[in-house]
Amino acid sequence: MLEAPRSLCVIGCGTMGEAIVGGLVRAGWLPTANIIVTARRHAVATELNERLGVAATTDNLAAARAAEVVLVCVKPQRFAELFESDDMRSALAGKLVISIAAGITLDKLAKWLPDSAVIRAMPNTPAQIGQGMTVLCRFDTRKAPSPANVASDEQVALTHKIFESVGRCLEVESKLMDAVTSLNGSGPAFVYVMLEAMADGGVMMGLPRDVALTIAAQVFRGAAAMVLDTDLHPAALKDQVTTPAGCTIAGVLMMEDGKIRSVLARTIQEAAKVAGSLG
């Protein structure tokens, strides 16, 4: 699979699409000749061709016809415009279609594309630097509207390989994707707010802004790596830092006074509710 020229098509190659294609190019396992991307404007398509070294066009239908696998990166509001076409449905019949749109469920994809295997993916923006997290879901054979909508093990493995080019990738049940959209897709924005606030605290205590921001960013990076690399619970790692009567436990108690745990948890909850309405 993906051995023919232009065999992977990225429809709507914006920020996330470009990040994924860039990751594939860096990974080196898929030749640039095997990738075609689309954009709404000719000028953007020309820029993508020059910047990424892949074929680029404004003709979504022609690109879909050429491809074996189609990665759809358009906004949720554009899905009906894109797929409510007999020509497009015909072009995608028998192929794998991967959607990264928030709120567009597998059932909705299957309704538009009854003859295509469909997978939902939710990446996030750190994919731009190869540090992304992508979560996938696919139809359970027993729940699919049509056997044609069920992605094969080979297709799922290929999807993992595509997104592992820009970071980590795992799979969940489809009913969990709104929560995934909130925690994974929106999550970086919530982290940036926390990071900025911590840097502000450093500035308030006399640190230069650039120094405070560098320290705060590296603290987030290092702390996250500790969770991923040690498999220790965050609470256990926190306890390693909070010595008796020390400054860390004093700061932690101040955070608890501000109900930071419930605020962050409710943030994910609220974003998930909105994610469910986007489709």
Side-chain angles (χ1 to χ4, degrees):
M1 187 173 285
L2 299 185
E3 294 177 354
R6 302 186 181 184
S7 52
L8 173 67
C9 167
V10 180
I11 293 181
C13 192
T15 300
M16 190 55 66
E18 186 171 348
I20 295 165
V21 172
L24 289 169
V25 171
R26 288 191 300 273
W29 62 268
L30 185 64
T32 55
N34 293 24
I35 303 172
I36 183 170
V37 303
T38 77
R40 299 189 78 171
R41 296 186 291 118
H42 286 286
V44 175
T46 300
E47 290 173 7
L48 288 169
N49 169 254
E50 293 172 351
R51 192 159 56 242
L52 300 174
V54 299
T57 180
T58 58
D59 191 335
N60 291 329
L61 182 58
R65 282 175 172 156
E68 299 174 50
V69 175
V70 176
L71 176 60
V72 185
C73 299
V74 302
K75 302 289 186 185
Q77 300 88 339
R78 289 192 57 211
F79 267 67
E81 169 194 338
L82 181 65
F83 290 135
E84 286 184 351
S85 157
D86 289 338
D87 287 341
M88 182 60 81
R89 278 191 283 269
S90 176
L92 296 175
K95 298 178 179 180
L96 172 62
V97 178
I98 306 164
S99 163
I100 70 166
I104 301 294
T105 65
L106 289 174
D107 286 330
K108 289 175 182 175
L109 289 170
K111 185 176 179 180
W112 278 313
L113 302 169
D115 300 314
S116 302
V118 292
I119 290 177
R120 280 190 71 185
M122 179 49 59
N124 60 18
T125 54
Q128 295 175 71
I129 59 167
Q131 294 295 320
M133 179 73 231
T134 303
V135 182
L136 311 177
C137 73
R138 54 172 158 168
F139 270 120
D140 184 305
T141 306
R142 297 164 296 177
K143 298 178 181 179
S146 162
N149 295 136
V150 180
S152 67
D153 290 343
E154 181 187 10
Q155 289 172 325
V156 173
L158 174 63
T159 305
H160 274 272
K161 189 172 182 179
I162 289 170
F163 288 104
E164 284 167 358
S165 297
V166 292
R168 294 179 181 238
C169 185
L170 57 81
E171 188 175 346
V172 300
E173 296 179 64
S174 60
K175 67 182 180 181
L176 300 175
M177 287 301 283
D178 289 341
V180 165
T181 299
S182 172
L183 182 59
N184 189 56
S186 303
F190 308 147
V191 171
Y192 299 144
V193 171
M194 291 185 284
L195 196 159
E196 183 184 25
M198 286 180 62
D200 284 346
V203 171
M204 184 174 66
M205 298 310 297
L207 290 174
R209 170 67 64 181
D210 61 336
V211 172
L213 196 57
T214 298
I215 293 172
Q218 184 61 39
V219 165
F220 270 81
R221 174 186 279 179
M226 286 286 285
V227 173
L228 291 172
D229 294 349
T230 67
D231 288 329
L232 291 174
H233 192 280
L237 292 168
K238 177 204 70 179
D239 287 348
Q240 292 178 4
V241 188
T242 50
T243 54
C247 60
T248 305
I249 190 64
V252 168
L253 289 177
M254 181 62 70
M255 295 171 74
E256 299 289 9
D257 288 345
K259 300 182 179 180
I260 191 169
R261 290 175 187 267
S262 64
V263 167
L264 292 174
R266 294 295 187 189
T267 295
I268 301 302
Q269 182 184 42
E270 187 62 24
K273 289 179 182 177
V274 175
S277 70
L278 292 178

